[in-house]
Amino acid sequence: MIRLLLVDDQRLVCEGFKAFLEVQPDFQVVGMASNGHEAIELVESLQPDLVLMDVQMPIMDGREATKIICDRFPSVKVLVLSTFDDDEYLEDSLKAGAIGYLLKAEMPPEQLVQTIRLAKEGFGQLAPKLLSRLMQHQNPWRSDRPKLDRSLTGLTAREREVLDLILEGLGNAAIAKRLFIGEGTVKTHVKNLFEKMGCKNRVQLVNAAHAAQEK
């Protein structure tokens, strides 16, 4: 069972998400908050698995609340769901420790369900529109980039191969096809990479790899 905390200053939005999400057999909405301060208090008392966090709210916004929650409660994942596709909101949320940033207008209910399940397993999630823009801005997967420095300690040979392909922009299915392994095996390697490199999503993983290359 995935225990969810919904955070949005619009009560009707929370109620709508709650009604839909609780239909899922593996979801339980344990609480709702209308601002970041309430969210922190409820995370402490309810210990949800995942927080579905809005960005712009009174008293304390989602970015500040995300940072505090991720610092104080590292086992709790925060998935931002916002109407704003602003680069600053995106970068601030990911730096604060959010496992993903999604746009309400581009998130069909059935896709949100799958996204929550993946986020609970530790897989970073970004709205396609934002991922495309982030890639153009940072250009981390350009074809002429050098392969990852093999001196990185702690990674197995297979994990380094998977990381190289992530840096090329491949998803799990494409990586599995390239390496002739199962997609479930790829997910395990990606999860191990997150743990070993101290990352919570693919964006952080890319940045960590770049930092390793620059040393």
Side-chain angles (χ1 to χ4, degrees):
M1 185 68 68
I2 301 176
R3 293 164 51 80
L4 302 170
L5 174 65
L6 309 182
V7 186
D8 198 298
D9 62 335
Q10 298 184 50
R11 184 73 180 186
L12 287 177
V13 172
C14 274
E15 293 287 358
F17 279 130
K18 181 176 186 292
F20 174 75
L21 293 172
E22 285 200 320
V23 173
Q24 309 305 316
D26 54 338
F27 287 178
Q28 179 186 9
V29 176
V30 296
M32 296 185 293
S34 60
N35 60 67
H37 182 71
E38 288 181 4
I40 294 166
E41 291 183 338
L42 289 178
V43 168
E44 184 171 14
S45 62
L46 299 174
Q47 293 295 307
D49 297 307
L50 186 141
V51 179
L52 205 59
M53 179 76 74
D54 191 18
V55 175
Q56 263 200 4
M57 295 179 291
I59 303 176
M60 180 187 292
D61 73 7
R63 293 172 292 178
E64 184 177 356
T66 294
K67 181 172 182 7
I68 293 173
I69 290 170
C70 291
D71 286 345
R72 291 187 188 175
F73 312 98
S75 65
V76 178
K77 295 178 175 62
V78 178
L79 184 61
V80 174
L81 184 59
S82 174
T83 58
F84 299 97
D85 64 354
D86 183 272
D87 286 347
E88 183 179 351
Y89 285 156
L90 168 63
E91 292 176 10
D92 286 351
S93 297
L94 295 179
K95 287 178 181 177
I99 197 166
Y101 194 108
L102 308 173
L103 299 176
K104 292 177 182 177
E106 299 181 3
M107 187 54 54
E110 61 276 7
Q111 187 176 342
L112 178 60
V113 168
Q114 182 63 16
T115 298
I116 289 173
R117 290 178 180 138
L118 289 170
K120 169 63 172 59
E121 294 302 313
F123 297 103
Q125 305 294 315
L126 279 182
K129 175 181 177 181
L130 298 178
L131 180 58
S132 175
R133 198 164 72 214
L134 194 64
M135 288 172 64
Q136 291 174 4
H137 175 65
Q138 295 186 346
N139 197 19
W141 296 305
R142 61 188 184 275
S143 60
D144 62 341
R145 62 168 297 280
K147 289 294 184 181
L148 183 66
D149 183 354
R150 299 302 181 187
S151 67
L152 276 175
T153 60
L155 301 185
T156 67
R158 180 63 87 185
E159 287 166 353
R160 290 196 294 268
E161 287 180 324
V162 170
L163 184 51
D164 274 333
L165 296 177
I166 289 174
L167 293 174
E168 289 181 17
L170 274 63
N172 289 345
I175 292 173
K177 186 175 181 179
R178 180 80 67 88
L179 297 179
F180 302 102
I181 57 178
E183 190 171 349
T185 302
V186 174
K187 290 180 180 179
T188 298
H189 288 313
V190 173
K191 187 174 182 180
N192 290 340
L193 285 168
F194 286 162
E195 293 175 355
K196 290 183 178 182
M197 298 183 71
C199 301
K200 296 183 178 180
N201 55 57
R202 290 193 181 218
V203 175
Q204 292 181 1
L205 193 65
V206 168
N207 289 336
H210 289 165
Q213 287 179 328
E214 293 169 0
K215 290 182 179 179

